[in-house]
């Protein structure tokens, strides 16, 4: 699957949460300039479906765009109809995974325990988001990869410049980057966007 291979290749998914709709295109552009190739826009964003459509249109073929914090199948379908190329969930919701796969879209459910991870994978999850990784750390990924080496894992939550290399060393195939990359701000000035671009470049350099 081309979308999944792109995520594996570029390794980093930037999570856009809490960014006002009118600034999302500028934020996406700064991330793209910094080398990020995959964006997740969370479903609690105002006018999120319109934002997904806008980013898909503006960066067609240059950025992979998906929806995050998808809690149910109805929300997943709406996001897919708006152009989402993958569906991120914080939990293992079987109906959401099945609907996502029915439409041929990449499914990335969130799990923590070994049972949740296996359930998510066997239900059809293409890549399993280990969430919240901040509570578990890189050694947890290493421990899980022991008995479950065939399941691709993506730590999300608490991944930063100091620990990201270690996550990949122990077997993560990708990483979700939240507030360590895209920070909530009062405004999005040229200086803010330049700083965002530079943070993106730092993360990209870490995983090359």
């Amino acid at each position: 699957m081309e979308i999944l291979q792109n995520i594996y290749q570029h390794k980093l998914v930037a999570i856009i949460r809490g960014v006002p709709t009118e600034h999302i295109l500028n934020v996406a552009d700064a991330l793209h300039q910094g080398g990020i190739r995959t964006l997740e826009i969370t479903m609690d964003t105002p006018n999120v479906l319109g934002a997904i459509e806008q980013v898909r249109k503006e960066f067609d073929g240059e950025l992979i765009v998906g929806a995050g914090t998808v809690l149910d199948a109805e929300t997943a379908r709406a996001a897919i109809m708006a152009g989402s190329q993958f569906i991120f969930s914080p939990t293992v919701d079987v109906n959401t995974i099945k609907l996502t796969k029915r439409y041929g879209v990449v499914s990335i459910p969130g799990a923590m325990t070994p049972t949740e991870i296996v359930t998510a994978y066997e239900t059809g999850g293409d890549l399993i988001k280990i969430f919240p990784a901040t509570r578990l750390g890189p050694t947890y990924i290493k421990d899980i990869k022991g008995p479950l080496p065939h399941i691709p894992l993506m730590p999300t939550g608490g991944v930063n410049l100091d620990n990201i290399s270690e996550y990949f060393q122990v077997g993560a195939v990708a990483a979700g980057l939240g507030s360590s990359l895209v920070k909530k701000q009062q405004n999005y000035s040229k200086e803010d966007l330049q700083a965002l671009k530079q943070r993106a470049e730092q993360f990209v350099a870490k995983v090359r």
Side-chain angles (χ1 to χ4, degrees), residues 3 52 58 60 70 80-81 89 98 101 103 121 125 127 130-132 137 145 164 185 192 195 197 208:
I3 300 300
I52 290 169
E58 188 75 19
D60 187 38
V70 178
I80 291 166
M81 293 301 100
S89 299
K98 288 182 175 179
K101 300 311 300 174
Y103 282 94
Y121 186 70
L127 173 57
I130 302 302
F131 176 80
K145 293 298 286 186
I164 190 168
Q185 296 174 201
D192 293 330
K197 172 179 174 284
R208 276 194 179 133

Side-chain angles (χ1 to χ4, degrees), residues 61-75:
E62 297 180 49
L63 283 174
I64 295 167
V65 184
T69 318
V70 178
L71 301 179
D72 52 58
E74 294 82 0
T75 304

Side-chain angles (χ1 to χ4, degrees), residues 1 74 89 97 112 119 141 143-144 148 178:
M1 189 180 290
E74 294 82 0
S89 299
I97 296 170
M112 180 182 274
T119 299
I141 302 292
D143 291 342
I144 290 294
L148 304 173

